[in-house]
Amino acid sequence: MMEFKTETPSSPTSDTELCNGVLGKPSLPSSMSDGEVDGSVKLRRESRTGRLRHALSEVLPADDTRRRSHTMTEAKEYAYGRLQEELNIAQSELKLKDEECAKLLKVRDQIGEELEELTACLFEEANNMVQDANIKRMHTEKLLQEASHQVEVLQAEVVALKQLVLTSTPSSPNKHLHPQIANGEPGSKDKKEKKDKGLKPFWKTHRRSTSHHQFTQEDRSIAEAQHEAMTDRCTEMDEVCFEEFCSWRQTPTMSRNCPFIARIAAEDICTCLNFSNTHLAERVLTCVENNSLAIEPMAGDTPYTGKCQLTQVAKVCKYKVKLGDDATWYCISQHCRNRITAVCDFFSYVRYIQQGLVKNADKDVFYEIVKLRKQMALARLGYV
């Protein structure tokens, strides 16, 4: 700031002049009039005011620059602080987003692993389903083949019975169906002798057409076997075993926990398959129960003479047996083969009952089972 000094007169003046000098009004000569004085005072005041304005005009621009620089610095500091705060907020948000991205990556990896495990489980389950379906299909085809074979046998038996019935008349009955005609009638021998005496040579007798004799030896043997099967029944039935059979037929099962199966296994099956080679005999019994045993005749016309694998006795081995998935074939004799097939026939018939293929009455089915048990006993004793 500039300092302003007032000029004081060199010589002492009056009080009025001093006051005028102090108040900024210089003393004027007394010879001047009032108008002149007022004009001179105005001029002096204007000159002083102009100088003061000029001084202020020189001083004020510097102050504005300082103020502006100070204001710009504060604004820059404020802007820097604000930007720094926004940067910190952005960094914190970015850190949160990085954490969320890491969590999402972990979730994605976990979902990928679960998807791979689920895919593997689905493929494994699909393979198991395909394998089970193939096994069921093979089992069904095997059952269908057995049922078809059984139906063919039954149809052949029905045809044979029809032919027997059609050819058996009161005037000329079939003697193998009516044995009492040849043995039971009184005087049959005398009639036969008289008839033999009156016989004529075959070229002079009446010859029937060949269509009358439609039976071959095989058909007659089948008819005789059926007749024997109808007449071959036990005279007295085991009531306890029959009750066990009736309760078993309501819920048929192949488990030995059932009293009926346990009785037959103890009385017939185990005794029929009781061989010297106990280990191989147990394997044979297991395969027979699982229906996984195969028996084939030996290749070639000449039978194999050696040691039977079941009885451990040197005999003529006409057959060989394979157990389940084992590729080894074991040579067995005719007697062992008959015993094994007798047990297989029993299990086959029991499986037919379990599958609902046998629709006969309980007594008829029980008689058939008794016949199969008899067949096992005869095979064990060597009568078959």
Side-chain angles (χ1 to χ4, degrees):
M1 300 293 292
M2 297 181 63
E3 296 180 358
F4 298 96
K5 297 180 180 180
T6 58
E7 296 180 358
T8 57
S10 61
S11 63
T13 58
S14 63
D15 296 334
T16 304
E17 291 177 353
L18 183 60
C19 290
N20 293 329
V22 172
L23 293 172
K25 293 182 180 180
S27 62
L28 297 172
S30 60
S31 60
M32 295 180 69
S33 64
D34 293 334
E36 294 177 354
V37 171
D38 292 334
S40 63
V41 169
K42 287 181 180 180
L43 291 172
R44 288 182 182 178
R45 286 180 179 176
E46 290 176 359
S47 63
R48 288 181 180 176
T49 303
R51 267 188 271 167
L52 181 61
R53 288 177 179 174
H54 181 71
L56 289 173
S57 64
E58 291 179 357
V59 174
L60 285 175
D63 291 339
D64 291 337
T65 305
R66 290 179 182 176
R67 288 179 182 176
R68 288 176 182 176
S69 63
H70 182 68
T71 305
M72 290 296 291
T73 305
E74 289 180 354
K76 287 181 180 179
E77 289 179 355
Y78 176 73
Y80 178 76
R82 188 171 179 182
L83 291 173
Q84 187 69 30
E85 185 179 357
E86 291 179 357
L87 180 62
N88 294 332
I89 293 172
Q91 287 179 352
S92 62
E93 291 179 355
L94 184 61
K95 187 176 181 180
L96 291 175
K97 289 183 179 180
D98 290 339
E99 291 178 356
E100 290 180 358
C101 289
K103 290 180 181 179
L104 290 174
L105 288 174
K106 289 182 180 179
V107 171
R108 187 192 67 180
D109 296 337
Q110 186 177 2
I111 291 174
E113 292 177 358
E114 291 179 357
L115 184 61
E116 290 179 358
E117 292 178 357
L118 180 62
T119 305
C121 292
L122 288 175
F123 274 110
E124 186 177 359
E125 186 176 358
N127 291 329
N128 293 332
M129 291 175 66
V130 170
Q131 187 175 3
D132 294 339
N134 291 331
I135 292 173
K136 290 181 180 179
R137 180 179 59 79
M138 294 173 62
H139 183 65
T140 306
E141 290 178 354
K142 186 176 181 181
L143 292 177
L144 179 62
Q145 186 177 1
E146 292 178 356
S148 300
H149 180 67
Q150 188 178 11
V151 168
E152 291 177 357
V153 172
L154 292 175
Q155 288 178 352
E157 291 177 356
V158 169
V159 170
L161 288 174
K162 286 182 178 180
Q163 291 175 349
L164 287 173
V165 171
L166 290 174
T167 55
S168 178
T169 59
S171 59
S172 59
N174 291 324
K175 294 182 179 181
H176 60 275
L177 293 178
H178 305 280
Q180 70 275 8
I181 295 175
N183 300 325
E185 290 183 358
S188 58
K189 293 183 180 179
D190 298 336
K191 290 181 180 180
K192 187 176 181 180
E193 290 177 357
K194 291 179 180 179
K195 189 176 181 181
D196 291 338
K197 290 180 180 178
L199 285 177
K200 295 181 180 179
F202 69 94
W203 60 86
K204 294 182 179 180
T205 59
H206 175 71
R207 299 180 62 183
R208 295 185 180 182
S209 62
T210 56
S211 61
H212 183 74
H213 302 282
Q214 296 177 358
F215 298 107
T216 61
Q217 187 68 26
E218 184 179 359
D219 296 333
R220 290 186 179 181
S221 61
I222 293 172
E224 290 176 358
Q226 291 175 355
H227 179 67
E228 290 178 0
M230 293 175 64
T231 56
D232 185 15
R233 287 196 175 184
C234 55
T235 57
E236 189 175 355
M237 185 172 57
D238 188 355
E239 297 296 337
V240 177
C241 186
F242 180 70
E243 290 179 359
E244 292 176 354
F245 166 73
C246 292
S247 61
W248 171 82
R249 194 178 184 186
Q250 294 177 0
T251 56
T253 179
M254 302 297 292
S255 176
R256 293 193 184 184
N257 295 327
C258 179
F260 176 68
I261 299 296
R263 175 189 292 273
I264 296 178
E267 293 179 359
D268 301 310
I269 297 173
C270 293
T271 56
C272 187
L273 296 181
N274 185 14
F275 298 104
S276 299
N277 191 349
T278 56
H279 177 68
L280 186 59
E282 291 177 357
R283 291 182 61 191
V284 168
L285 177 58
T286 303
C287 292
V288 170
E289 290 178 348
N290 298 331
N291 197 17
S292 59
L293 183 138
I295 299 177
E296 293 182 1
M298 296 291 290
D301 298 333
T302 58
Y304 172 75
T305 304
K307 189 176 183 181
C308 180
Q309 299 292 332
L310 288 172
T311 58
Q312 299 293 319
V313 177
K315 295 184 71 176
V316 177
C317 299
K318 297 182 179 180
Y319 298 92
K320 58 182 179 179
V321 63
K322 186 177 73 170
L323 307 178
D325 296 332
D326 190 5
T328 306
W329 289 88
Y330 301 95
C331 301
I332 59 174
S333 61
Q334 180 73 37
H335 179 57
C336 295
R337 181 258 178 195
N338 294 337
R339 293 168 67 173
I340 293 171
T341 53
V343 177
C344 290
D345 292 338
F346 171 77
F347 275 104
S348 297
Y349 189 71
V350 170
R351 288 192 191 95
Y352 292 151
I353 298 172
Q354 186 181 10
Q355 294 166 7
L357 299 176
V358 180
K359 305 296 183 180
N360 296 336
D362 290 342
K363 284 189 177 182
D364 295 335
V365 178
F366 182 74
Y367 286 145
E368 187 66 26
I369 289 176
V370 170
K371 286 170 58 178
L372 293 172
R373 294 180 65 183
K374 176 184 176 183
Q375 192 73 13
M376 285 190 283
L378 293 176
R380 178 174 58 87
L381 297 174
Y383 283 96
V384 179

